[in-house]
């Protein structure tokens, strides 16, 4: 089977094998990784350097003759004083040969066919305004495309660089950039983390590039790196790397075929990305119709329209996440469950809360809160159903505070000490907490003791605005990175309030009231949390909303679980197809 046939016959496997990349930091919205196409690119490179990509020509000169010419060429260069005599490289043992090569191919050490590690230095005084300056960031990972071409006038440098000439192979020796390999189409200078490599014996630079980008060489380079902070491939390890060599004529056929097949992969990748983007746009547009519905009748019609295509719409993790956000938004707008005219209106609820607060102040259990200005109609985010009220967060909470501002002294064990990393949407995760001593704990909990059914709100970092109900009797102290909201629990369902905080409108308030964005991690202003404008339903409707959201989220989780299972199957198929092609 030709590689073209391998691609076209199994196009569905290559394009449908997707993986959601986990993002650095908090949150769950990873980007889609086109795993199948990535595996296909790796397969093409692996077949290329194993001599399985193009047929061999019996008329080609064997690689052994090429090696003789390289030895003669290097001897002459030593004689002319252009290079130093190289210390003999060790013989390649049978154990170093991972597979059998085709007739006419040879295993060879990289240091024999290249000048790896030998290059001239360039100082700022050696460059002129038009000198090409290459940094690792200019080369795209995986594809090795040149992303930016920058000159000295645009990006002057002050420390030494490596010089390179046209047709040198530029190799990024720094992990995780070991697959950044570029054939220079002009001369210039590059960061010392990029090694310019010249080849001997008229070996094609494009063929050396394929050798360095092959999965086997990348695996070797990764295993051979040293250094903790910025691990890099050492020169000795690189020189002694064992690589595959074939005749110049076959090198040319291989490079041309790889370029042709990689172009097919580019097209397949672009089609997949375009399809994914269009799908996500369609999902978001259709779900927006739900939140834009003017009344219950229109909402029912729009939902019926969407539910007919449920199986084709919610086929990615991103689309299911958007569905969840839509459910939350409908919930806090009063559109998720029908209103019951027999419910006591929220206005009566607020009167009881006010009386309860007054009694708590009288008993010295809470401090009297400074009243906030009246909410006018222009400030209300959207129109609410009959019986609902727009209220300040302060109006329905007995206390809104944060954790200790003291720098903690952590201990191996002791009292649990919770920070923002223990809070994700709807999830309180005390298992992620650290510990402090008993003495520090007693200092930290003064006036801010978290209790069952209180609410924790993340105030710093990437997860600002994420909140969860404390669902255990665990006694713990909290850090300044975490906000603490104590709702008036007799009349307010904590789970409804967390539902509101995690909804798009709640997260919008958190974002709007975050200071320092772009300068540091940002910090959600504590005093402004008190002025969040919360949509408050009657007490009984709060219960119905929480119950309905839990029910729908459970369906979403089942959908996501099935999707992940199907994705794993597709990944295994792509792996199996790759193994079958190689073996």
């Amino acid at each position: 089977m030709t590689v073209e046939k391998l691609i076209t016959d199994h196009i569905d496997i290559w394009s449908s094998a997707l993986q959601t990349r986990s993002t650095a930091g908090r949150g769950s919205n990873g980007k889609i990784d086109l795993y199948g196409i990535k595996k296909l690119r790796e397969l093409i490179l692996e077949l290329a350097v194993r001599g399985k990509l193009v047929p061999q020509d019996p008329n080609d000169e064997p690689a052994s003759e090429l090696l003789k010419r390289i030895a003669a060429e290097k001897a002459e260069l030593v004689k002319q004083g252009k290079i130093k005599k190289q210390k003999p490289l060790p013989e390649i043992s049978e154990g170093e040969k991972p597979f059998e090569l085709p007739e006419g191919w040879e295993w060879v050490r990289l240091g024999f066919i290249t000048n790896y590690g030998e290059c001239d230095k360039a100082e700022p005084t050696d460059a002129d305004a038009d000198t090409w300056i290459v940094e690792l960031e200019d080369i795209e990972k995986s594809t090795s495309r040149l992303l930016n071409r920058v000159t000295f006038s645009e990006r002057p440098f002050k420390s030494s660089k490596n010089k390179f000439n046209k047709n040198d192979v530029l190799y990024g020796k720094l992990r995780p950039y070991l697959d950044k390999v570029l054939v220079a189409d002009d001369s210039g200078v590059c960061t010392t983390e990029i090694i310019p490599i010249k080849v001997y014996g008229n070996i094609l630079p494009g063929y050396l590039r394929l050798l360095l980008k092959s999965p086997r060489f990348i695996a070797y380079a990764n295993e051979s790196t040293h250094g903790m902070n910025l691990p890099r491939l050492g020169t000795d390890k690189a020189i002694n790397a064992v690589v595959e060599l074939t005749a110049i004529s076959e090198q040319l056929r291989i490079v041309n075929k790889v370029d042709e097949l990689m172009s097919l992969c580019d097209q397949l990748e672009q089609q997949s990305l375009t399809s994914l983007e269009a799908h996500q746009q369609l999902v978001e547009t259709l779900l927006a119709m739900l939140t834009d519905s003017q009344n219950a009748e229109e909402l029912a019609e729009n939902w019926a329209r969407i539910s007919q295509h449920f199986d084709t719409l919610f086929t990615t993790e991103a689309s299911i996440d958007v569905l969840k956000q839509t459910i939350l938004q409908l919930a806090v707008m009063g559109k998720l469950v029908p209103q019951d005219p027999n419910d006591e209106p929220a206005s009566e609820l607020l009167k009881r809360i006010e009386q309860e607060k007054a009694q708590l102040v009288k008993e010295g259990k809470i401090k009297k809160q400074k009243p906030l200005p009246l909410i006018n109609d222009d400030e209300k985010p959207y129109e609410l159903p009959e019986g609902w009220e727009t209220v300040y967060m302060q109006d329905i909470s007995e206390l809104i505070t944060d954790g200790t501002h003291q720098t903690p002294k952590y201990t191996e064990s002791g009292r649990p000490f919770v920070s923002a990393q223990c809070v994700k949407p709807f999830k309180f995760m005390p298992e992620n907490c650290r510990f402090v001593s008993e003495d520090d704990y007693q200092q930290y909990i003064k006036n801010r003791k978290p209790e069952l059914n209180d609410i924790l709100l993340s105030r710093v970092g990437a997860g600002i605005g994420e909140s969860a109900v404390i669902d255990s009797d665990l006694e713990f102290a909290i850090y300044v990175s975490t906000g603490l909201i104590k709702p008036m629990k007799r009349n307010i369902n904590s789970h409804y309030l967390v539902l509101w905080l995690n909804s798009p409108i709640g997260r919008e308030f958190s974002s709007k009231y975050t200071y320092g964005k772009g300068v540091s991690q940002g910090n959600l202003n504590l005093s402004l949390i008190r002025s969040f404008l919360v949509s408050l339903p009657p007490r009984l409707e709060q219960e119905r909303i929480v119950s309905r959201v839990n029910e729908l989220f459970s369906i979403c989780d089942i959908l996501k679980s099935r999707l992940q299972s199907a994705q794993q199957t597709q990944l295994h198929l792509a792996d199996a197809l790759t193994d079958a092609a190689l073996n």
Side-chain angles (χ1 to χ4, degrees):
M1 181 187 288
T2 65
V3 179
E4 289 94 332
K5 190 166 175 58
L6 185 73
I7 294 173
T8 54
D9 283 4
H10 303 285
I11 201 93
D12 56 328
I13 293 176
W14 301 121
S15 56
S16 61
L18 307 175
Q19 198 170 34
T20 304
R21 288 200 302 264
S22 59
T23 51
R26 301 164 54 83
S28 61
N29 294 326
K31 292 185 177 179
I32 291 291
D33 181 11
L34 302 177
Y35 181 86
I37 300 171
K38 179 184 171 187
K39 290 295 291 185
L40 180 57
R41 289 185 188 277
E42 291 175 359
L43 175 61
I44 290 165
L45 290 170
E46 192 64 30
L47 291 172
V49 299
R50 287 188 181 210
K52 294 184 175 183
L53 192 65
V54 299
Q56 276 73 51
D57 185 337
N59 297 316
D60 285 344
E61 172 191 74
S64 55
E65 293 301 312
L66 176 56
L67 290 175
K68 290 176 186 175
R69 283 205 307 280
I70 289 173
E73 178 187 341
K74 290 171 76 174
E76 182 62 28
L77 289 170
V78 169
K79 189 176 177 182
Q80 294 173 11
K82 293 182 178 178
I83 64 171
K84 293 178 182 177
K85 187 173 183 180
Q86 189 178 34
K87 182 181 175 183
L89 295 168
E91 289 287 322
I92 298 172
S93 67
E94 288 302 314
E96 290 180 278
K97 301 173 183 177
F99 45 80
E100 193 174 331
L101 289 173
E103 189 79 26
W105 286 55
E106 294 287 341
W107 288 106
V108 62
R109 296 203 185 273
L110 184 65
F112 183 77
I113 61 172
T114 72
N115 73 334
Y116 192 102
E118 302 289 334
C119 67
D120 296 327
K121 297 295 178 183
E123 302 303 327
T125 50
D126 298 325
D128 57 36
D130 295 328
T131 299
W132 181 20
I133 315 293
V134 181
E135 298 287 347
L136 279 167
E137 67 200 50
D138 299 333
I139 304 170
E140 187 175 47
K141 193 168 163 57
S142 181
T143 66
S144 289
R145 295 188 191 101
L146 185 66
L147 298 173
N148 300 299
R149 188 180 285 269
V150 185
T151 62
F152 181 74
S153 62
E154 298 167 301
R155 188 166 62 200
F157 61 92
K158 295 181 180 178
S159 56
S160 295
K161 300 279 184 186
N162 288 338
K163 275 186 182 177
F164 64 83
N165 295 312
K166 184 176 180 179
N167 290 326
D168 282 357
V169 177
L170 307 183
Y171 175 69
K173 65 173 181 176
L174 194 66
R175 201 173 76 195
Y177 308 114
L178 294 169
D179 60 349
K180 292 192 172 190
V181 192
L182 184 73
V183 177
D185 61 4
D186 201 352
S187 60
V189 300
C190 59
T191 171
T192 53
E193 301 298 357
I194 293 177
I195 301 293
I197 310 172
K198 299 183 191 304
V199 286
Y200 297 116
N202 293 324
I203 289 172
L204 296 185
Y207 179 73
L208 175 62
R209 175 179 175 271
L210 299 185
L211 290 176
L212 298 177
K213 283 187 67 66
S214 71
R216 191 183 69 81
F217 187 87
I218 289 173
Y220 169 84
N222 271 306
E223 291 166 5
S224 305
T225 53
H226 65 276
M228 291 296 291
N229 294 332
L230 295 170
R232 50 179 58 80
L233 178 62
T235 301
D236 284 345
K237 286 287 187 181
I239 287 171
N240 283 286
V242 175
V243 295
E244 307 90 334
L245 187 66
T246 186
I248 302 293
S249 51
E250 187 168 355
Q251 290 176 29
L252 181 60
R253 294 196 299 274
I254 288 170
V255 169
N256 287 339
K257 178 56 74 174
V258 168
D259 287 346
E260 177 190 328
L261 294 174
M262 288 300 180
S263 178
L264 276 177
C265 288
D266 290 344
Q267 293 173 36
L268 190 57
E269 189 173 84
Q270 190 54 55
Q271 287 168 8
S272 296
L273 289 172
T274 302
S275 175
L276 284 168
E277 287 169 11
H279 173 266
Q280 189 67 5
Q281 187 64 50
L282 174 64
V283 168
E284 290 175 5
T285 301
L286 289 175
L287 290 177
M289 289 166 50
L290 297 180
T291 52
D292 292 341
S293 301
Q294 296 302 306
N295 50 52
E297 189 177 273
E298 187 179 331
L299 177 65
E301 288 175 5
N302 288 333
W303 179 251
R305 192 175 295 121
I306 289 172
S307 60
Q308 290 173 2
H309 307 286
F310 214 76
D311 291 343
T312 53
L313 282 175
F314 303 106
T315 55
T316 64
E317 290 192 36
S319 63
I320 296 169
D321 288 337
V322 175
L323 175 59
K324 278 189 165 186
Q325 289 299 300
T326 304
I327 290 166
L328 290 176
Q329 189 69 356
L330 290 170
V332 300
M333 293 175 80
K335 294 181 177 182
L336 192 66
V337 300
Q339 279 71 51
D340 185 338
N342 298 315
D343 285 345
E344 175 192 65
S347 56
E348 293 301 312
L349 194 62
L350 291 172
K351 289 175 187 175
R352 280 206 310 280
I353 288 173
E354 198 173 340
Q355 291 168 0
E356 187 184 346
K357 278 191 178 185
Q359 185 60 33
L360 290 170
V361 170
K362 188 176 178 181
E363 294 170 2
K365 292 181 179 177
I366 65 170
K367 292 179 180 177
K368 188 173 183 180
Q369 295 169 337
K370 183 180 177 182
L372 294 167
L374 288 174
I375 302 168
N376 61 52
D377 288 341
D378 293 340
E379 293 177 279
K380 297 174 182 178
Y382 36 73
E383 190 176 340
L384 292 173
E386 191 79 26
W388 286 51
E389 295 289 338
T390 300
V391 298
Y392 288 118
M393 184 69 78
Q394 174 177 285
D395 295 340
I396 52 177
S397 306
E398 65 177 65
L399 178 68
I400 297 174
T401 185
D402 60 4
T404 177
H405 291 222
Q406 296 178 43
T407 302
K409 292 179 182 177
Y410 294 115
T411 55
E412 287 295 319
S413 60
R415 290 285 203 158
F417 186 65
V418 163
S419 63
Q421 67 181 4
C422 302
V423 183
K424 281 195 175 181
F426 304 103
K427 288 182 183 178
F428 172 48
M429 301 180 297
E431 64 272 13
N432 291 347
C433 77
R434 299 173 78 173
F435 300 95
V436 293
S437 69
E438 180 65 32
D439 288 345
D440 282 347
Y441 171 78
Q442 294 302 332
Q443 291 292 318
Y444 295 161
I445 62 166
K446 285 182 178 177
N447 305 319
R448 49 166 76 92
K449 186 178 179 182
E451 297 173 309
L452 183 68
N453 287 326
D454 284 351
I455 293 168
L456 295 178
L457 177 67
S458 180
R459 293 185 54 236
V460 299
I464 284 177
E466 296 177 347
S467 68
V469 173
I470 299 172
D471 54 5
S472 75
D473 286 319
L474 179 73
E475 291 187 357
F476 59 91
I478 57 173
Y479 195 37
V480 62
S481 60
T482 313
L484 175 67
I485 300 173
K486 287 181 172 288
M488 303 297 291
K489 299 186 188 81
R490 289 184 188 174
N491 295 288
I492 300 296
N493 184 314
S494 298
H495 293 278
Y496 172 77
L497 206 47
V498 159
L499 190 151
W500 184 90
L501 285 164
N502 286 315
S503 73
I505 187 68
R507 296 300 292 273
E508 190 179 316
F509 271 103
S510 291
S511 176
K512 186 167 68 171
Y513 293 152
T514 295
Y515 291 163
K517 282 184 290 189
V519 178
S520 61
Q521 287 186 311
N523 189 296
L524 176 55
N525 185 279
L526 186 66
S527 63
L528 291 177
I529 293 173
R530 299 184 180 102
S531 62
F532 281 8
L533 295 177
V534 180
S535 48
L536 183 69
R539 175 68 199 225
L540 290 176
E541 190 169 348
Q542 292 175 38
E543 315 287 342
R544 294 198 299 273
I545 289 170
V546 169
S547 177
R548 183 63 173 151
V549 168
N550 288 340
E551 181 186 330
L552 293 173
F553 270 26
S554 178
I555 294 170
C556 289
D557 292 340
I558 291 169
L559 274 176
K560 190 173 277 194
S561 177
R562 287 176 181 169
L563 173 64
Q564 289 168 345
S565 178
Q567 281 185 345
Q568 282 301 312
T569 301
Q570 292 293 345
L571 299 185
H572 291 323
L573 281 171
D575 289 340
L577 195 56
T578 303
D579 291 342
L582 288 173
N583 300 317

